[in-house]
Amino acid sequence: FQCLLVTKLTKSFTVDGATVPAVKSCDYTMYRDEIFVLLGHNGAGKTTTINCLTGLMTQDSGEANFYGKSFTEQLMNYRHEVGVCPQQNVLWSDLTVAEHLSIFSGVKGASANAAQDKYIDSFLLELGLLSKKNSTASQLSGGQKRKLQLAIAFLGNPKVGCFPCFQIFDFTFKSVHATTNEKNFITKKKRLCF
């Protein structure tokens, strides 16, 4: 079952007066219950593709359809169904782990209540971060920050099917070596997505 169909996605930039293509007419299909990976060397257009799909950039041409509907036109309607883990951590050093998860779950439409607190605690427990719940991001190690960013990508509104059904991860090659705990977390959440 098709989840995301990308057709002729193209994005170029102007550098020193010359047009430089970053993504050239990409076509691919992502299927339900599968993990899809974009591989390529630095500068191949992976992050640009993700930025176009998530609305951070507008593509020059091409289309993306999410379950048969225009992904870019309906992006605001799909926000609760899309989880994004960017290449660089997007964390605020003075906020605690719990505050990050609370803020981002609110962005996904969840309201603050005891059920939401339990939901957040389950994420932290699975990733081995429960003991860091009240620590600020500045007190976390690099690996713990990455785990927090991963948890943010999987946040959703428990009232709207619990987990986002489409996750986008922009990892550097060296960060692909996840621990068994993180791999189990991703695999378990993937099964719950659809």
Side-chain angles (χ1 to χ4, degrees), residues 5-32:
L5 175 65
V6 176
T7 309
K8 308 261 183 253
L9 183 70
T10 301
K11 178 67 179 176
S12 299
F13 296 98
T14 302
V15 180
D16 295 329
T19 300
V20 179
V23 179
K24 298 181 202 176
S25 195
C26 278
D27 295 312
Y28 52 86
T29 304
M30 296 180 195
Y31 294 93
R32 184 175 139 171

Side-chain angles (χ1 to χ4, degrees), residues 1-7 9 26-40 45-47 49-50 53 83 165-171 176 186 190 194:
F1 189 68
Q2 290 181 357
C3 175
L4 182 69
L5 175 65
V6 176
T7 309
L9 183 70
C26 278
D27 295 312
Y28 52 86
T29 304
M30 296 180 195
Y31 294 93
R32 184 175 139 171
D33 296 328
E34 290 186 353
I35 295 174
F36 178 89
V37 179
L38 286 174
L39 294 176
K46 301 177 301 293
T47 298
T49 298
I50 290 168
L53 290 176
C165 66
F166 183 63
Q167 289 84 24
I168 299 173
F169 301 98
D170 191 0
F171 289 142
V176 172
I186 292 170
K190 180 180 135 329
F194 299 98

Side-chain angles (χ1 to χ4, degrees), residues 17-98:
T19 300
V20 179
V23 179
K24 298 181 202 176
S25 195
C26 278
D27 295 312
Y28 52 86
T29 304
M30 296 180 195
Y31 294 93
R32 184 175 139 171
D33 296 328
E34 290 186 353
I35 295 174
F36 178 89
V37 179
L38 286 174
L39 294 176
H41 58 81
N42 288 344
K46 301 177 301 293
T47 298
T48 301
T49 298
I50 290 168
N51 287 343
C52 289
L53 290 176
T54 58
L56 293 174
M57 287 181 184
T58 304
Q59 70 267 24
D60 297 335
S61 62
E63 192 170 312
N65 289 299
F66 187 57
Y67 289 111
K69 295 184 181 178
S70 173
F71 190 71
T72 50
E73 289 176 18
Q74 298 291 322
L75 191 58
M76 291 308 294
N77 297 332
Y78 296 137
R79 289 272 185 219
H80 69 276
E81 296 187 55
V82 178
V84 180
C85 189
Q87 195 171 53
Q88 302 297 323
N89 293 330
V90 181
L91 305 172
W92 290 270
S93 58
D94 294 335
L95 292 182
T96 66
V97 169

